[in-house]
Amino acid sequence: MPIHRPDPTEHAPYAITYINATADALAARGSDDVLALLEAQALEWPSLLAGVAESRAAYAYAPGKWTLAEQLVHVTDTERVFSYRLLRVARGDRTPLPGFEQDDWVPESRAARRALTDILSELLAVRTATLALAHSLDAEALTQRGIASGQEVSARALVWMIAGHMAHHLMLTREKYLG
């Protein structure tokens, strides 16, 4: 079952960055299958990070930017939050879900104390769980809407946001951290 691009009424204005990143990633693949994109993204990380020295984990591409390790933990944390929102919304829960402050979370992640391989394993485990949830959703569940960060959002938009957030960070990793 295809999960078509959400319309602008299904997400907050900030999410258009992730929606567009998903559309661009799908176009680059010559596909419209966002679930296949989610699966492919998980496969990109191990090959992208293969052979990267552990010392690179502490690299930040500019002053004030996160290190590679911090960015990877951020990707994992954000996917957990978005997937939790997806679960709640898809199940018809209209309880408003709070936002989160990524810049407060990153220092608390203690990413500098962790090996890149450990962080990568966690990221892939979270994506595996996200995939299981996304594959379980039917057309009706994908049209459900809820409130997250004070904005209405559909389950369909959350799937696209998850893919787009990872697409954004895969691009940053290639271009800024490893490029």
Side-chain angles (χ1 to χ4, degrees), residues 49 51-61 67-70 111-112 114-117 177-178:
L49 297 175
V52 171
E54 192 61 43
S55 62
R56 194 69 172 175
Y59 172 75
Y61 63 87
T67 66
L68 175 60
E70 289 171 334
R114 299 178 61 193
L116 274 178
T117 55
Y177 289 96
L178 304 177

Side-chain angles (χ1 to χ4, degrees), residues 63-92:
K65 295 297 183 180
W66 295 332
T67 66
L68 175 60
E70 289 171 334
Q71 182 212 212
L72 292 172
V73 171
H74 159 76
V75 171
T76 305
D77 287 349
T78 301
E79 181 138 339
R80 274 192 174 105
V81 171
F82 284 4
S83 290
Y84 178 67
R85 290 175 178 178
L86 175 60
L87 172 67
R88 297 273 304 262
V89 170
R91 298 297 192 255

